[in-house]
Amino acid sequence: MTRIIAGRAGGVRLDVPPAGTRPTSDRVRESLFGALESTGLLDGTVVVDLYAGSGALGLEALSRGASHCDLVEKGQKAAQIVRRNAARVEKASGAVARTHQTSVQPFLRASQRTYDLAFVDPPYDLDGSVLADDLRALAPLLAPDAIVIVERATRSGEPDWQSAGLVALRAKGYGDTTLWWGEPPQDA
């Protein structure tokens, strides 16, 4: 069972699409959000969750203090599940979640928002060049102090931060999954 781990919606159950998605495990989310909370980054922030799946990452951020989250999922059944999950978390947290049933690139090209936190959790078989294109499209939408977290199979290797004009921060492995952290370049 997938659930919101902590915050205002802690314990809320999340439905998971029956196929085609790979939900982030509770252990990985717990570690990730512990690190994010220590930065103070979640309070009142605007989040985007690309390749949302069940919406667990973006909705966990809402539960822990983010003010708004755009959840992007192209699969029709998965997007319906994300909408239901978002409604449960909105009710418990008072934060705003918007589900967008579309592919990542069209969403990013049309978005007018500035994001403080971006989760990019594509299917493990997504080609690295497509991920690089996604990061390039995302980069202009990031606040100067934003954090981007990419979750992929460890064997896929580190994202191409440089081609997107972003800078690698750190990486943490969890078995065959790695979370890579990046950010916009900081002015010296």
Side-chain angles (χ1 to χ4, degrees):
M1 178 179 76
T2 300
R3 63 184 172 77
I4 297 296
I5 297 168
R8 296 175 295 202
V12 169
R13 184 182 57 80
L14 300 177
D15 294 332
V16 176
T21 64
R22 177 191 31 79
T24 303
S25 74
D26 284 357
R27 179 178 76 99
V28 172
R29 275 188 296 125
E30 199 162 352
S31 175
L32 168 62
F33 281 94
L36 285 170
E37 283 185 320
S38 72
T39 67
L41 183 67
L42 293 174
D43 297 330
T45 60
V46 177
V47 178
V48 64
D49 185 349
L50 304 176
Y51 302 97
S54 67
L57 292 173
L59 296 174
E60 186 78 37
L62 284 181
S63 179
R64 295 182 187 228
S67 63
H68 178 92
C69 183
D70 284 317
L71 300 143
V72 181
E73 174 55 54
K74 77 174 182 175
Q76 181 181 8
K77 289 180 182 178
Q80 289 171 346
I81 289 171
V82 171
R83 278 187 190 89
R84 283 197 308 267
N85 289 339
R88 289 182 196 132
V89 171
E90 282 181 310
K91 184 176 179 181
S93 71
V96 178
R98 294 289 176 258
T99 303
H100 305 270
Q101 185 184 336
T102 183
S103 297
V104 167
Q105 284 289 321
F107 171 80
L108 292 173
R109 283 193 298 269
S111 181
Q112 299 291 315
R113 273 194 203 285
T114 299
Y115 296 103
D116 304 298
L117 178 60
F119 297 111
V120 185
D121 186 7
Y124 274 3
D125 62 353
L126 185 81
D127 186 82
S129 65
V130 175
L131 176 59
D133 289 343
D134 291 346
L135 292 174
R136 277 192 291 280
L138 173 63
L141 302 175
L142 296 173
D145 57 350
I147 299 288
V148 178
I149 298 170
V150 176
E151 179 179 345
R152 295 195 76 196
T154 301
R155 70 182 177 280
S156 298
E158 184 172 5
D160 182 1
W161 299 112
Q162 187 174 7
S163 74
L166 300 172
V167 178
L169 280 175
R170 63 180 168 185
K172 174 122 173 101
Y174 303 87
D176 59 346
T177 296
T178 298
L179 297 179
W180 281 278
W181 295 51
E183 67 180 355
Q186 303 302 303
D187 293 330

